[in-house]
Amino acid sequence: MSARIAVLVSGRGSNLQAVLDAIADGRLDAEVVGVFSDRPDAPALEKVAPGLRWSRKARAYPDRAEFDADLADAVAAAGPDWIFCAGYMRILGDAFVRRFEGRLLNVHPSLLPLYKGLHTHARALEAGDAEHGASVHFVVPELDAGAVVAQVRIPVLAGDTPDTLAARLLPHEHRLAAAVLALAVSGRLAEREGQVWVDGQCLFKPLQLDSAGNLEPESRA
């Protein structure tokens, strides 16, 4: 039976589309059982049927805890095996993370632990980095601080701007998200006491996505 994935979004939903495409072409043996947003106007919601959409305006709630509680109840009602944050722009609180601990993944456009938070492409350029990339990690209440499962790397080119770097990275970010979710839904991925485990072995460095779309151990010196 296909695994069940809930997706949290805030924006246009390009990573959600990558998940849907991976399901459609057989790279991901799963179904999206719900798309959940803190913005009722999020374009990502239009990518799935109305019955799979849940959205509330987070700012209409008196505090984050109440919004997170409603969101958590809605996600739980969908019965997902995994929850994927695909451009979800809010920090999830302790109670939400505890409720779905070990099943909650996020994709972030940097080579974590570098550049947590926003404006990652500009910050990589300002630092003079030779390479940039994206990471998929388990979610903890602290911003972009959970154990990293896998990364993809691209070179920074002469003349790159934040926009060109972001545009070149995005398709690689999409492949990374689909590959990690495929690992997760196959039962090969787990999180234990803040460590990533793959195939029953503790992962001491993030896996790397190669040009063929395979996740491999770190091979660089």
Side-chain angles (χ1 to χ4, degrees), residues 31-219:
E31 61 175 321
V32 171
V33 295
V35 175
F36 304 84
S37 183
D38 59 327
R39 289 181 45 198
D41 62 344
L45 294 167
E46 300 298 322
K47 296 181 181 295
V48 295
L52 297 179
R53 304 172 192 169
W54 182 96
S55 63
R56 301 288 187 276
K57 187 178 292 186
R59 292 184 179 180
Y61 285 74
D63 55 42
R64 186 177 73 180
E66 288 199 25
F67 175 80
D68 276 4
D70 268 5
L71 173 63
D73 286 344
V75 170
D81 300 300
W82 290 89
I83 300 97
F84 178 50
C85 299
Y88 186 67
M89 302 305 293
R90 292 174 60 83
I91 297 175
L92 293 165
D94 291 356
F96 188 101
V97 173
R98 283 197 304 271
R99 188 166 179 178
F100 302 106
E101 188 173 9
R103 297 189 285 145
L104 193 52
L105 295 167
N106 178 56
V107 61
H108 180 73
S110 82
L111 295 172
L112 292 172
L114 295 175
Y115 316 129
K116 298 174 183 178
L118 302 175
H119 310 301
T120 60
H121 315 299
R123 291 157 69 190
L125 292 173
E126 289 166 4
D129 292 346
E131 62 181 3
H132 188 44
S135 307
V136 173
H137 64 94
F138 282 99
V139 175
V140 297
E142 182 183 348
L143 179 65
D144 298 325
V148 178
V149 178
Q151 296 179 322
V152 64
R153 300 170 182 268
I154 64 169
V156 176
L157 304 179
D160 261 334
T161 67
D163 287 343
T164 63
L165 187 56
R168 280 198 300 109
L169 177 60
L170 193 58
H172 300 281
E173 181 180 320
H174 293 164
R175 292 191 304 115
L176 178 69
V180 173
L181 284 171
L183 191 71
V185 304
S186 68
R188 298 174 58 199
L189 177 65
E191 187 270 342
R192 301 172 192 164
E193 298 181 350
Q195 298 288 327
V196 177
W197 290 70
V198 175
D199 295 331
Q201 301 294 318
C202 186
L203 195 67
F204 294 103
K205 291 184 177 181
L207 298 172
Q208 302 295 315
L209 187 74
D210 66 17
S211 59
N214 300 312
L215 292 172
E216 302 289 351
E218 173 71 70
S219 60

